[in-house]
């Protein structure tokens, strides 16, 4: 039975506009309902062919156009259809196509018919969009759309307006940060690191007792000596209350004593620096007050704090014994944390290359003619020939003339006699010599030095130099005085002194003192001893891995000497019999280079060490392969492989190294003393093939020396060695 047309007829003829309409349908075609709603609301509908079925609507009271349309949308939802706006018309399609077909974008469903299909984008502030997807997925129908965009932390939802509005309310509540917040609690008397250590222990114990309990997060800000507390309001209030009780002043205002073991810095060098810093810090604090009266009081307080500050160095354990008020103690501990860091090393390789070429030639003719009755004549152009003639004339021995024979080609002479009677004697000596010499000297001294530490390597020998002598010409009444000589020994060889300073990045400032000396001529302990000496003293900036020339010399000498008899030596061709010529040419090239390499990690040091080690070992291996030891036999000495040497001289893996000393806190120790947990010492790693330098590895904690705590005062706190907690290099570090 169809009641709708009858009910609508009265309304259609009641006036020009539609009045309230009462919908009563029973098993009516849905297309009939669509046509009726179109006439009542004036909307244009586009009906999908798949929209079919019968509907039943029972209404007890009349409805206006808006209520009729909302009822129509509810009927469509029950039947599994959706009305999607499309310009001036409304498309009626199955729900499964609604999310991809159309919908009003960026609407949260407020002020719209509850069954309209909308698409809304939610921007989240506190929670992750991806975390909300599995929570909201059961609340969205299968045909609806729910997706997260992690890039901007947004949620995209396509659904009916009523459900989108409900989801918007849920998302708002979930995205509310609630009462979780972070508060900073500044401390006046206690140390932030010690307070956080105590609170962390307490929180962990509470968590073990009740795993479901809400816990707070505490972090120490040592720079401002404050504790950051995070969590809900109730838990934060409880933790802050505990912090305030721990931050109570000491009853004994003289301060406490701490023993701080150092990892890298020298306790003897650091102790005067810390005392000077404490004096300067207290003076600055006393002079920063504004009012004169307050300034006077602060000055007296600052002087009193400095008088109670003492920093002593224990050389044997490389530890600092610090006695200071809490505030000064915190300042000193902060300075220690920044100064006690591992400094990188610099591998410096110098290259001294010297190449010299010597060329010389000599050609000359010496002769002498002698007749007892007629006189003598000679042309002596070589000093060696002249000295030989002097020896013959002095000794009367003709064999002494052999001293005139020198290097090169020497052609002799003759003596003429007349039947037993002495006649004219003559001697002719022709000398011809050519010599070539090449010298190639290459020295590569290598030195590894700590940053800002002077290092020196010396390779050479001690040579005696005659510095004085005494000889007596008369005899004293008591006897003869023995003559004597004084000898001074000096190092001759190669010396390399380097002081590196690593700057920001990979730049290295090098102070270099390089000396290379050798004996040129003369005998050791004599007055004619001559040495060659080459020295460079310089300061340069060079990048790590860069090769830089420090200095050098290029020397080219040419000596051309001619000795001849005047006039006779000028005669063409025949003049060569009366001259001697000597030509020498020396060319020398000397250059000095430097090659620094920064070693920041253990892997880098192992890499360059193994490369140098293997180069020396390869030379020994090649020499051993050629022959055995002469005469006595046996094999030559060869260095072991580096990996095998390390393996044979390392502790077995089953041996556990002793742990570093842990913090010692007596029962009466105040909460203001800082005692961060120590790191256990790690043993030496098993030797492995050494790769090229890679990423930096954290250095192992060196075990500190054990301490007899029975000899310490009750208020002494032993602090293990520690390094800065940051994984990267601090600002300004090199």
């Amino acid at each position: 039975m169809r009641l709708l047309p009858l009910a609508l007829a009265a309304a259609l003829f009641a006036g020009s506009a539609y009045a309230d309409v009462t919908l009563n349908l029973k098993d009516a075609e849905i297309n009939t309902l669509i046509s009726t709603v179109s006439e009542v609301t004036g909307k244009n509908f586009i009906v999908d062919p798949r929209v079919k079925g019968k509907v039943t609507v029972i209404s007890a009271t009349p409805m206006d156009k808006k209520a009729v349309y909302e009822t129509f949308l509810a009927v469509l939802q029950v039947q599994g259809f959706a009305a999607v706006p499309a310009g001036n018309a409304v498309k009626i399609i199955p729900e499964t196509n609604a999310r991809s077909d159309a919908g009003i974008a960026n609407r949260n469903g407020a002020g719209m018919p509850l069954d309209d299909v909308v698409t809304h984008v939610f921007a989240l502030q506190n929670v992750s969009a991806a975390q909300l997807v599995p929570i909201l997925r059961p609340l969205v129908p299968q045909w609806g759309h729910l997706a997260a965009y992690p890039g901007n932390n947004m949620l995209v939802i396509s659904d009916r307006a009523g459900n989108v509005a409900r989801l918007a309310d849920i998302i708002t509540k979930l995205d509310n940060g609630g009462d979780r917040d972070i508060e900073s609690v500044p401390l006046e008397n206690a140390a932030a690191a010690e307070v956080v250590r105590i609170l962390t222990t307490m929180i962990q114990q509470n968590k073990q007792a009740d795993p479901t309990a809400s816990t707070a997060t505490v972090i120490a800000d040592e720079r401002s000596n404050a504790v950051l507390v995070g969590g809900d309001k109730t838990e934060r209030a409880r933790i802050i209350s505990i912090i305030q009780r721990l931050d109570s002043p000491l009853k004994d205002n003289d301060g406490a004593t701490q023993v701080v073991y150092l990892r890298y810095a020298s306790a003897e060098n650091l102790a005067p620096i810390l005392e000077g810093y404490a004096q300067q810090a207290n003076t600055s604090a006393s002079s920063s007050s504004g009012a004169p009266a307050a300034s006077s009081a602060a000055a007296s307080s600052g002087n009193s704090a400095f008088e109670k500050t003492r920093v002593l160095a224990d050389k044997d354990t490389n530890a600092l014994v610090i006695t200071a008020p809490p505030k000064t103690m915190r300042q000193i501990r902060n300075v220690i944390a920044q100064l006690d860091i591992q400094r990188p090393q610099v591998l410096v390789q110098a290259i001294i290359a010297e190449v010299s070429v010597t060329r010389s030639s000599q050609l000359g003719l010496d002769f002498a003619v002698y007749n007892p009755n007629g006189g003598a004549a000679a042309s002596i152009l070589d000093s060696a020939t002249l000295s030989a003639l002097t020896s013959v004339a002095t000794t009367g021995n003709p064999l002494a003339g052999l001293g005139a024979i020198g290097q090169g080609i020497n052609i002799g002479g003759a003596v003429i006699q007349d039947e037993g009677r002495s006649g004219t004697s003559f001697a002719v000596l022709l000398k011809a010599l050519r010599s070539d010499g090449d010298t190639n000297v290459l020295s590569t001294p290598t030195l590894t030095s700590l940053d800002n530490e002077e290092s020196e390597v010396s390779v050479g020998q001690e040579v005696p130099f005659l510095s004085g002598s005494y000889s007596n010409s008369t005899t004293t009444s008591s006897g003869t005085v023995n003559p004597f000589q004084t000898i001074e020994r000096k190092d001759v060889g190669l010396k390399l002194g380097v002081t590196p300073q690593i700057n920001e990045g990979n730049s290295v400032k090098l102070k270099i003192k390089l000396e290379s000396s050798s004996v040129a001529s003369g005998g050791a302990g004599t007055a004619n001893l001559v040495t060659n000496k080459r020295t460079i003293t310089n300061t340069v900036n060079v990048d790590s891995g860069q090769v830089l020339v420090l200095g050098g010399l290029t020397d080219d000498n040419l000596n051309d000497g001619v000795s001849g008899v005047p006039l006779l030596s000028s005669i063409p061709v025949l003049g060569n019999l009366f001259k001697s010529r000597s030509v020498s040419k020396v060319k020398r090239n000397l250059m000095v280079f430097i090659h620094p390499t920064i070693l920041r990690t253990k892997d880098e040091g192992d890499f360059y060490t193994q490369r140098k080690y293997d180069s020396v070992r390869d030379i020994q291996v090649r020499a051993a392969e050629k022959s055995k030891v002469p005469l006595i036999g046996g094999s030559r000495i060869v260095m072991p492989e580096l990996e095998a040497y390390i393996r044979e001289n390392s502790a077995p893996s089953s041996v556990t190294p002793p742990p570093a000393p842990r913090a010692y806190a007596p029962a009466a120790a105040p909460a203001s003393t800082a005692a961060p947990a120590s790191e256990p010492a790690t043993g030496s790693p098993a030797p492995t093939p050494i790769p090229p330098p890679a990423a930096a590895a954290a250095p192992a904690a060196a075990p500190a020396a054990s301490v007899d705590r029975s000899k310490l005062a009750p208020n002494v706190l032993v602090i293990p060695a520690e390094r800065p907690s940051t994984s990267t290099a601090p600002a300004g570090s090199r």
Side-chain angles (χ1 to χ4, degrees):
M1 180 180 182
R2 297 183 180 180
L3 302 179
L4 180 60
L6 299 179
L8 291 177
L12 292 176
F13 297 101
S16 60
Y18 288 107
D20 293 343
V21 178
T22 301
L23 290 178
N24 286 296
L25 297 152
K26 184 177 181 180
D27 295 332
E29 292 291 337
I30 192 171
N31 290 329
T32 303
L33 176 62
I34 295 173
S35 301
T36 304
V37 173
S38 176
E39 294 178 0
V40 173
T41 60
K43 293 181 178 293
N44 302 320
F45 294 101
I46 302 174
V47 183
D48 190 282
R50 292 168 292 180
V51 178
K52 296 179 180 179
K54 295 183 178 182
V55 297
T56 299
V57 179
I58 299 174
S59 176
T61 58
M63 298 177 291
D64 56 8
K65 293 191 298 183
K66 182 178 179 181
V68 170
Y69 187 69
E70 291 179 354
T71 303
F72 172 66
L73 295 178
V75 172
L76 293 179
Q77 180 185 6
V78 171
Q79 297 295 326
F81 304 115
V84 178
N88 295 327
V90 177
K91 295 188 296 183
I92 301 176
I93 58 178
E95 285 182 340
T96 54
N97 298 70
R99 65 178 182 180
S100 59
D101 197 334
I104 302 176
N106 204 21
R107 293 291 299 272
N108 60 1
M112 298 182 61
L114 298 180
D115 296 309
D116 267 1
V117 178
V118 296
T119 300
H120 185 64
V121 179
F122 295 89
L124 305 180
Q125 302 296 329
N126 301 304
V127 298
S128 172
Q131 294 178 351
L132 288 185
V133 169
I135 299 175
L136 300 178
R137 172 59 65 187
L139 304 180
V140 179
Q142 293 184 355
W143 64 269
H145 178 71
L146 172 63
Y149 179 59
N152 292 337
N153 197 34
M154 292 182 174
L155 277 176
V156 180
I157 300 177
S158 291
D159 199 355
R160 297 189 182 276
N163 197 31
V164 171
R166 181 170 67 101
L167 293 176
D169 184 58
I170 296 174
I171 292 174
T172 301
K173 293 179 180 179
L174 294 177
D175 193 35
N176 186 5
D179 58 355
R180 295 190 63 87
D181 201 353
I182 298 177
E183 294 187 41
S184 177
V185 183
L187 304 180
E188 295 294 335
N189 303 293
E194 174 64 11
V195 171
V196 168
R197 186 184 67 84
I198 297 173
L199 294 175
T200 302
T201 303
M202 182 188 67
I203 293 173
Q204 290 176 351
Q205 292 177 353
N206 293 340
K207 189 67 175 178
Q208 293 176 357
D210 185 7
T212 62
S214 176
T215 59
T217 303
V218 290
I219 300 175
D221 181 13
E222 297 185 5
R223 183 187 64 83
S224 60
N225 193 39
V227 178
L228 301 179
V229 183
D232 55 36
K233 186 175 182 180
T234 304
E235 189 66 17
R236 289 200 315 270
R238 187 175 71 88
I239 295 297
I240 292 175
S241 176
I242 298 174
I243 293 175
Q244 292 173 351
R245 291 198 298 270
L246 292 176
D247 191 30
S248 59
L250 294 175
K251 295 181 180 179
D252 185 3
N253 197 29
D254 291 339
T257 300
Q258 295 183 8
V259 179
V260 180
Y261 289 97
L262 302 180
R263 284 181 178 271
Y264 311 107
S266 171
E268 290 183 310
N269 297 336
L270 199 57
I273 297 176
L274 295 176
E275 282 200 345
Y277 167 77
Q279 179 182 8
Q280 182 180 4
N282 291 324
T283 303
S284 301
S286 63
S287 61
S288 61
S289 179
S295 177
S296 176
S300 61
S301 176
N303 294 333
S304 176
F306 171 68
E307 292 175 356
K308 299 171 184 176
T309 301
R310 290 292 181 268
V311 181
L312 302 178
D314 183 13
K315 180 180 179 181
D316 296 335
T317 59
N318 194 36
L320 294 173
V321 182
I322 307 173
T323 302
K327 183 177 180 180
T328 307
M329 181 69 74
R330 292 195 304 269
Q331 295 173 342
I332 292 177
R333 289 298 305 276
N334 290 337
V335 174
I336 292 175
Q338 298 181 52
L339 294 180
D340 187 26
I341 60 175
Q342 184 178 16
R343 292 183 292 170
Q345 302 179 105
V346 179
L347 173 65
V348 180
Q349 302 177 80
I351 303 173
I352 306 172
E354 181 176 359
V355 179
S356 60
V357 179
T358 303
R359 301 288 185 268
S360 64
S361 62
Q362 182 180 357
L363 179 62
L365 182 66
D366 298 330
F367 67 88
V369 179
Y370 173 70
N371 190 302
N373 300 322
S379 174
I380 307 300
L381 303 176
D382 191 279
S383 58
T385 305
L386 183 61
S387 62
L389 293 177
T390 303
S391 300
V392 173
T394 303
T395 61
N397 184 6
L399 294 177
L402 294 176
I405 299 176
Q407 294 178 330
I409 297 178
N410 295 266
I411 300 177
V415 176
I416 301 176
Q417 293 183 352
D418 186 9
E419 295 179 358
R421 296 175 296 176
S422 61
T424 301
S425 300
F426 70 92
V428 178
L429 182 62
L430 175 65
K431 291 184 177 181
L433 175 66
R434 178 187 178 94
S435 64
D436 297 335
D438 294 334
T439 303
N440 188 354
V441 180
L442 177 63
S443 302
T444 56
T446 302
L447 182 63
T448 301
S449 176
L450 196 63
D451 184 25
N452 281 319
E453 293 291 341
E454 183 178 2
S455 301
E456 181 177 333
V457 61
S458 177
V459 180
Q461 57 183 350
E462 288 188 347
V463 178
F465 288 81
L466 180 63
S467 59
S469 63
Y470 173 78
S471 62
N472 61 321
S473 58
T474 60
T475 304
T476 63
S477 58
S478 60
T480 303
V481 178
N482 295 326
F484 64 87
Q485 293 180 338
T486 57
I487 300 295
E488 181 182 359
R489 295 183 177 273
K490 296 183 179 180
D491 293 333
V492 176
L494 182 64
K495 292 182 181 180
L496 174 63
V498 176
T499 303
Q501 177 183 330
I502 301 177
N503 301 325
E504 192 71 24
N506 288 327
S507 177
V508 182
K509 180 181 179 182
L510 291 175
K511 293 182 180 179
I512 302 171
K513 293 177 63 178
L514 179 62
E515 178 181 326
S516 178
S517 57
S518 60
V519 177
S521 62
T526 61
N528 63 342
L529 185 61
V530 179
T531 59
N532 296 325
K533 188 175 182 180
R534 302 162 182 85
T535 303
I536 289 181
T537 302
N538 200 359
T539 301
V540 296
N541 277 328
V542 57
D543 290 341
S544 176
Q546 178 186 1
V547 178
L548 181 67
V549 59
L550 293 182
L553 172 67
T554 300
D555 190 9
D556 199 350
N557 294 327
L558 176 64
N559 295 323
D560 187 359
V562 179
S563 300
V565 178
L567 298 179
L568 296 178
S569 62
S570 301
I571 299 175
V573 182
L574 294 178
N576 293 325
L577 300 176
F578 301 95
K579 69 171 59 174
S580 175
R581 187 161 192 165
S582 176
V583 179
S584 64
K585 182 178 181 181
V586 179
K587 186 173 183 180
R588 180 176 57 182
N589 290 308
L590 173 64
M591 286 294 167
V592 180
F593 304 88
I594 200 74
H595 177 215
T597 303
I598 300 177
L599 306 179
R600 299 186 185 274
T601 64
K602 175 181 177 295
D603 290 341
E604 292 177 346
D606 291 344
F607 173 77
Y608 290 102
T609 298
Q610 183 166 20
R611 190 169 66 177
K612 291 291 184 182
Y613 189 95
D614 291 344
S615 64
V616 176
R617 185 177 181 277
D618 289 343
I619 297 175
Q620 294 181 339
V621 170
R622 287 194 296 268
E625 291 174 351
K626 292 181 179 179
S627 62
K628 296 184 178 180
V629 179
L631 301 181
I632 63 175
S635 59
R636 298 179 182 269
I637 300 175
V638 178
M639 298 167 57
E641 293 185 356
L642 184 58
E643 292 83 358
Y645 176 80
I646 295 176
R647 183 170 56 253
E648 293 174 359
N649 293 273
S650 300
S653 58
S654 59
V655 177
T656 304
R662 299 191 61 82
Y664 170 70
S672 60
T673 54
S678 63
E679 298 179 4
T682 57
S684 301
T688 55
I690 302 174
S706 60
V707 180
D708 187 4
R709 296 187 174 89
S710 62
K711 299 181 180 180
L712 300 178
N715 65 336
V716 174
L717 183 67
V718 178
I719 306 299
E722 61 179 356
R723 60 176 180 269
S725 58
T726 54
S727 58
T728 57
S733 64
R734 297 177 293 276

